[in-house]
Coordinates of all heavy atoms in Angstrom, one line a residue:
T91 N -1.8 54.0 -33.0 CA -0.6 54.7 -33.2 C 0.6 53.8 -33.5 O 1.4 54.0 -34.4 CB -0.3 55.6 -32.0 OG1 -1.4 56.5 -31.7 CG2 1.0 56.4 -32.2
L92 N 0.7 52.7 -32.7 CA 1.8 51.7 -32.9 C 1.7 51.1 -34.3 O 2.7 50.8 -35.0 CB 1.8 50.7 -31.8 CG 2.1 51.2 -30.4 CD1 2.0 50.1 -29.4 CD2 3.5 51.9 -30.4
A93 N 0.4 50.8 -34.7 CA 0.3 50.2 -36.0 C 0.6 51.2 -37.1 O 1.2 50.8 -38.2 CB -1.2 49.7 -36.2
G94 N 0.3 52.5 -36.9 CA 0.7 53.5 -37.9 C 2.2 53.7 -38.0 O 2.6 54.1 -39.1
L95 N 2.9 53.4 -37.0 CA 4.4 53.5 -37.0 C 5.0 52.2 -37.5 O 6.2 52.0 -37.6 CB 4.9 53.8 -35.6 CG 4.5 55.2 -35.1 CD1 5.0 55.4 -33.7 CD2 5.0 56.3 -36.0
G96 N 4.1 51.2 -37.8 CA 4.6 49.9 -38.2 C 5.2 49.0 -37.2 O 5.9 48.0 -37.5
L97 N 4.9 49.3 -35.9 CA 5.4 48.5 -34.8 C 4.6 47.3 -34.4 O 5.1 46.4 -33.7 CB 5.6 49.4 -33.6 CG 6.6 50.6 -33.8 CD1 6.6 51.5 -32.6 CD2 8.0 50.2 -34.2
V98 N 3.3 47.3 -34.8 CA 2.4 46.1 -34.5 C 1.7 45.9 -35.8 O 1.6 46.7 -36.7 CB 1.4 46.4 -33.3 CG1 2.2 46.7 -32.1 CG2 0.5 47.6 -33.7
P99 N 1.1 44.7 -36.0 CA 0.4 44.3 -37.2 C -0.8 45.2 -37.4 O -1.4 45.7 -36.5 CB 0.1 42.8 -37.0 CG 1.0 42.3 -36.0 CD 1.3 43.5 -35.1
H100 N -1.2 45.3 -38.7 CA -2.4 46.0 -39.0 C -3.5 45.0 -39.2 O -3.4 44.0 -39.9 CB -2.2 46.8 -40.4 CG -3.5 47.3 -41.0 ND1 -4.2 48.3 -40.5 CD2 -4.1 46.9 -42.1 CE1 -5.3 48.5 -41.2 NE2 -5.2 47.7 -42.2
H101 N -4.6 45.2 -38.4 CA -5.8 44.4 -38.5 C -7.0 45.2 -38.0 O -6.9 46.4 -37.7 CB -5.6 43.1 -37.8 CG -5.1 43.2 -36.4 ND1 -5.8 43.7 -35.4 CD2 -3.9 42.8 -35.9 CE1 -5.1 43.7 -34.3 NE2 -3.9 43.1 -34.6
F102 N -8.1 44.6 -37.9 CA -9.4 45.3 -37.5 C -9.2 46.0 -36.2 O -9.6 47.1 -36.0 CB -10.5 44.3 -37.5 CG -11.8 44.9 -37.1 CD1 -12.6 45.5 -38.1 CD2 -12.3 44.9 -35.8 CE1 -13.8 46.1 -37.7 CE2 -13.5 45.5 -35.4 CZ -14.3 46.1 -36.4
V103 N -8.6 45.3 -35.2 CA -8.6 45.9 -33.9 C -7.6 47.1 -33.8 O -8.0 48.2 -33.3 CB -8.1 44.8 -32.8 CG1 -7.8 45.5 -31.5 CG2 -9.1 43.7 -32.7
T104 N -6.5 47.0 -34.5 CA -5.5 48.1 -34.5 C -6.0 49.3 -35.4 O -5.5 50.4 -35.2 CB -4.1 47.7 -34.9 OG1 -4.2 47.1 -36.2 CG2 -3.6 46.7 -34.0
Y105 N -6.9 49.0 -36.4 CA -7.3 50.1 -37.2 C -8.6 50.7 -36.7 O -8.8 51.9 -36.7 CB -7.6 49.5 -38.6 CG -7.9 50.6 -39.7 CD1 -6.9 51.5 -40.0 CD2 -9.1 50.6 -40.3 CE1 -7.2 52.5 -41.0 CE2 -9.4 51.6 -41.3 CZ -8.4 52.5 -41.6 OH -8.7 53.5 -42.6
Y106 N -9.6 49.9 -36.2 CA -10.8 50.5 -35.8 C -10.9 50.5 -34.2 O -11.9 51.1 -33.7 CB -12.0 49.6 -36.3 CG -12.3 49.7 -37.7 CD1 -11.9 48.8 -38.6 CD2 -12.9 50.9 -38.2 CE1 -12.1 48.9 -40.0 CE2 -13.2 51.0 -39.6 CZ -12.8 50.0 -40.5 OH -13.0 50.1 -41.8
G107 N -9.9 50.0 -33.5 CA -10.0 50.0 -32.1 C -10.1 51.4 -31.5 O -10.8 51.7 -30.5
F108 N -9.3 52.4 -32.1 CA -9.4 53.8 -31.6 C -10.8 54.3 -31.7 O -11.3 55.0 -30.8 CB -8.4 54.6 -32.4 CG -8.2 56.0 -32.0 CD1 -8.6 56.4 -30.7 CD2 -7.6 56.9 -32.9 CE1 -8.4 57.7 -30.3 CE2 -7.5 58.3 -32.5 CZ -7.9 58.6 -31.2
Q109 N -11.4 54.1 -32.9 CA -12.7 54.6 -33.1 C -13.8 54.0 -32.2 O -14.6 54.6 -31.6 CB -13.1 54.4 -34.6 CG -14.3 55.2 -35.0 CD -14.5 55.2 -36.5 OE1 -13.9 54.4 -37.2 NE2 -15.5 56.0 -37.0
I110 N -13.6 52.7 -32.0 CA -14.5 52.0 -31.0 C -14.3 52.5 -29.6 O -15.3 52.7 -28.9 CB -14.3 50.5 -31.1 CG1 -14.7 49.9 -32.5 CG2 -15.1 49.7 -30.0 CD1 -14.4 48.5 -32.7
G111 N -13.0 52.7 -29.3 CA -12.7 53.2 -27.9 C -13.3 54.6 -27.7 O -13.8 54.9 -26.6
V112 N -13.3 55.5 -28.8 CA -13.9 56.8 -28.6 C -15.4 56.7 -28.5 O -16.0 57.5 -27.7 CB -13.5 57.6 -29.9 CG1 -14.3 58.9 -29.9 CG2 -12.0 58.0 -29.9
S113 N -16.0 55.7 -29.2 CA -17.5 55.6 -29.0 C -17.8 55.2 -27.6 O -18.7 55.8 -27.0 CB -18.0 54.4 -30.0 OG -17.6 54.7 -31.3
L114 N -17.1 54.2 -27.0 CA -17.4 53.8 -25.6 C -17.0 55.0 -24.7 O -17.7 55.2 -23.7 CB -16.6 52.6 -25.3 CG -17.0 51.3 -26.1 CD1 -16.1 50.2 -25.8 CD2 -18.4 50.9 -25.8
Q115 N -15.9 55.6 -25.0 CA -15.5 56.7 -24.1 C -16.5 57.8 -24.0 O -16.7 58.4 -23.0 CB -14.1 57.2 -24.5 CG -13.5 58.2 -23.5 CD -12.7 59.3 -24.3 OE1 -13.1 59.7 -25.4 NE2 -11.8 59.9 -23.6
A116 N -17.1 58.2 -25.2 CA -18.0 59.3 -25.2 C -19.2 59.0 -24.3 O -19.7 59.9 -23.6 CB -18.5 59.5 -26.6
V117 N -19.6 57.7 -24.3 CA -20.7 57.3 -23.4 C -20.3 57.4 -21.9 O -21.0 57.9 -21.0 CB -21.2 55.9 -23.7 CG1 -22.3 55.5 -22.7 CG2 -21.8 55.9 -25.1
L118 N -19.1 56.9 -21.6 CA -18.6 56.9 -20.3 C -18.3 58.3 -19.7 O -18.5 58.6 -18.6 CB -17.3 56.0 -20.2 CG -17.5 54.5 -20.4 CD1 -16.1 53.9 -20.5 CD2 -18.3 53.9 -19.2

């Protein structure tokens, strides 16, 4: 979200981190 608002840099973690977090969260 912060990267989408331009408040933090755009890179792999800020772009795919949400999706990776959802993957881990679904298992948890």
Side-chain angles (χ1 to χ4, degrees):
T91 302
L92 294 177
L95 297 175
L97 301 178
V98 299
H100 167 69
H101 46 70
F102 179 86
V103 174
T104 57
Y105 189 63
Y106 288 103
F108 184 19
Q109 196 170 7
I110 296 173
V112 169
S113 304
L114 296 175
Q115 186 215 30
V117 176
L118 291 172

